[in-house]
Amino acid sequence: MVLSATWRGGIYYEYGWLVPPAAILFTFWSWPQQAIVAARTRRGAEWGTWLGWACFLVLLVVVRLIETVDATWRLPLVSHALLVAGASWWLMARAFGAAAATRMLPILVFALTAVPWPSAIEGPLIGGLTTFVATA
């Protein structure tokens, strides 16, 4: 796991080990039961779907190759996380409908908090939050 080094040694991401189990727990708590009952029937394979999955897999392989070269470079980590979150949302929307998948967006966003963001975003965000906490 590429993020394990960041979770072990990062000063802002030590909580990363807790995010996956918490996200799974939140999913079970908030998953709409009616979505499971009213799951749409599976449609036939469409060429656009297969092409989309092929592009997704190619992008994922490229990002994983870049991650293996430099595990501290944050852009591939964020790209990998966004690719997987987007594919997860798309699969939920396809299987259970967009309304049920939209209810799960806060959990996907929560899961993205365990990924180290680029310094241009992380620095001002942490500085602003630190100032807010100190002021409060």
Side-chain angles (χ1 to χ4, degrees):
M1 174 177 252
V2 176
L3 289 174
S4 64
T6 303
W7 292 347
R8 267 192 312 261
I11 59 173
Y12 298 121
Y13 296 100
E14 296 95 3
Y15 67 90
W17 296 104
L18 300 175
V19 171
I24 291 170
L25 183 66
F26 294 154
T27 300
F28 283 121
W29 280 347
S30 64
W31 187 256
Q33 294 300 318
Q34 67 272 16
I36 295 171
V37 174
R40 292 186 281 165
T41 58
R42 189 171 180 178
R43 294 184 297 188
E46 301 169 359
W47 282 107
T49 303
W50 289 107
L51 183 62
W53 278 113
C55 291
F56 168 76
L57 290 175
V58 167
L59 282 173
L60 194 61
V61 167
V62 168
V63 167
R64 286 293 295 148
L65 287 173
I66 294 171
E67 283 175 348
T68 57
V69 172
D70 185 5
T72 61
W73 190 20
R74 293 180 172 197
L75 186 60
L77 295 175
V78 172
S79 301
H80 187 171
L82 290 174
L83 275 170
V84 171
S88 299
W89 186 87
W90 185 80
L91 281 172
M92 284 188 284
R94 187 119 163 118
F96 302 110
T102 302
R103 285 191 58 187
M104 305 312 286
L105 276 178
I107 297 170
L108 286 173
V109 170
F110 168 71
L112 291 175
T113 64
V115 178
W117 289 89
S119 299
I121 297 170
E122 181 183 277
L125 178 66
I126 289 175
L129 290 174
T130 302
T131 303
F132 174 75
V133 169
T135 303

